[in-house]
């Protein structure tokens, strides 16, 4: 990876980005202190109050959302972050990796 291999709010992905969020490659300034991405060679990142979102239409019912999260291994100003998961604007879970 390359130290500069990250982009804030890149185009061409299935995600919408708000604030300071984007995509980083393995070995970038955001990921150099972490293991490689668990799948592929890129991860999404959230910085400060950044957010990523994706709209989906689902039939009524119960669903399980799975994801992997990690703190930035090489820099954590202000301590660990908490990641909140929202559905229709309501917090349905939170994770502090």
């Amino acid at each position: 990876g390359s130290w500069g291999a990250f982009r804030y709010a890149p185009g061409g992905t299935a995600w919408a980005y708000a604030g300071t969020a984007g995509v980083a490659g393995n070995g970038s300034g955001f990921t150099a202190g972490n293991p490689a991405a668990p799948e592929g060679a890129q991860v999404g990142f959230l910085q400060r109050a950044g957010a990523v979102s994706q709209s989906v239409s689902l039939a009524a019912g119960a669903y399980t959302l799975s994801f992997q999260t990690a703190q930035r291994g090489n820099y954590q100003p202000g301590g660990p972050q908490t990641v909140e998961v929202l559905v229709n604007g309501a917090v349905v879970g939170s994770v502090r990796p």
Side-chain angles (χ1 to χ4, degrees):
S2 169
W3 188 259
F6 63 88
R7 295 288 175 266
Y8 289 94
T13 74
W15 297 91
Y17 304 88
T20 48
V23 174
N26 292 330
S28 74
F30 280 98
T31 60
N34 296 82
E39 294 182 24
Q42 296 178 326
V43 296
F45 69 85
L46 304 173
Q47 184 182 34
R48 298 184 188 92
V52 296
S53 63
Q54 191 175 89
S55 294
V56 295
S57 295
L58 302 170
Y63 294 88
T64 300
L65 172 69
S66 299
F67 62 96
Q68 295 182 1
T69 182
Q71 295 292 336
R72 187 172 172 181
N74 58 350
Y75 185 65
Q76 289 185 26
Q81 292 179 298
T82 298
V83 177
E84 293 183 334
V85 178
L86 288 76
V87 174
N88 292 331
V91 176
V92 296
S94 65
V95 176
R96 178 171 271 187

